[in-house]
Amino acid sequence: AAAQAKQQKQQPKAAPSRPKKRPQKALAAMWDKKAKEANEQQKTNVFSKDYDASANKKVQKGQKGYGTAPEGSKSAARAKKAKEWVKQQIGLLISVIKKVGQLNANGRHEVTFGVMFIAYQDISDTLVGILRRAKKYGCLEFEGDMLFQGQSDGVIICLTPKADTWKHMPPGK
């Protein structure tokens, strides 16, 4: 038994099994593809020595995709998240106007900017920006483009029928 144990110690150990490698051609093709993509991208980089103005296929103003982040990029994801946040803030704004406002002769909720400013001061510091977004989306109406504390306190903010169907209302509102 001792001789058998001695014999097992002397035998070389089998090499651990290795995971199968990709064939070299497939690996080389993958890196060639990556290198080609990098070279193409460098042709559109104005700071690169390989810059080629004719290869730069920029989207022109007025074309689809102008002023937006490339699809699937982190910037596009951030923009989508920000847009959703704005819609939720508009929903919160609509609920506050309904709470502190009064019904006008047309049966729509309305409030003056001065009252809204006081009511909203503990909620968010983005009132004017959200008011402008809500006006752009057609959820409310007010005179002028910009409202200023003090100067615009008497301006009436009135909800439109679209505000009644706003989908992005805060929970419980």
Side-chain angles (χ1 to χ4, degrees):
Q4 216 177 19
K6 193 175 183 183
Q7 200 176 30
Q8 283 180 351
K9 284 183 182 178
Q10 291 176 353
Q11 289 178 356
K13 292 184 180 179
S17 63
R18 293 184 181 180
K20 292 183 180 180
K21 291 184 180 179
R22 285 185 175 175
Q24 281 186 329
K25 286 184 181 180
L27 195 57
M30 178 191 73
W31 285 109
D32 286 343
K33 180 181 173 189
K34 286 184 183 266
K36 185 178 178 183
E37 289 171 358
N39 286 338
E40 289 301 314
Q41 189 175 16
Q42 287 300 320
K43 288 181 182 178
T44 62
N45 181 354
V46 294
F47 300 107
S48 170
K49 65 179 172 119
D50 299 324
Y51 176 70
D52 182 8
S54 63
N56 199 0
K57 299 173 185 132
K58 281 190 175 181
V59 180
Q60 299 298 317
K61 193 172 186 176
Q63 289 179 328
K64 185 179 179 189
Y66 179 79
T68 58
E71 197 72 29
S73 68
K74 288 182 180 180
S75 294
R78 284 190 297 271
K80 183 178 179 181
K81 187 177 177 182
K83 193 172 189 176
E84 192 59 37
W85 180 84
V86 167
K87 288 179 179 181
Q88 289 173 353
Q89 292 299 306
I90 291 172
L92 179 63
L93 177 73
I94 291 168
S95 68
V96 171
I97 291 173
K98 287 180 178 179
K99 183 178 175 184
V100 300
Q102 301 171 350
L103 290 176
N104 64 12
N106 298 332
R108 308 301 315 155
H109 286 87
E110 69 180 20
V111 65
T112 62
F113 178 68
V115 170
M116 190 66 194
F117 195 89
I118 299 299
Y120 219 75
Q121 69 185 0
D122 293 330
I123 298 170
S124 177
D125 60 352
T126 60
L127 175 62
V128 174
I130 298 300
L131 282 169
R132 293 184 72 198
R133 289 287 112 196
K135 185 176 181 179
K136 182 178 179 182
Y137 280 110
C139 296
L140 53 84
E141 298 171 337
F142 58 85
E143 277 188 40
D145 291 326
M146 188 67 132
L147 299 174
F148 299 97
Q149 183 185 9
Q151 178 181 335
S152 305
D153 284 352
V155 175
I156 295 172
I157 301 166
C158 182
L159 294 180
T160 64
K162 186 174 181 179
D164 295 334
T165 60
W166 192 253
K167 297 176 185 173
H168 306 277
M169 298 301 283
K173 303 290 180 191

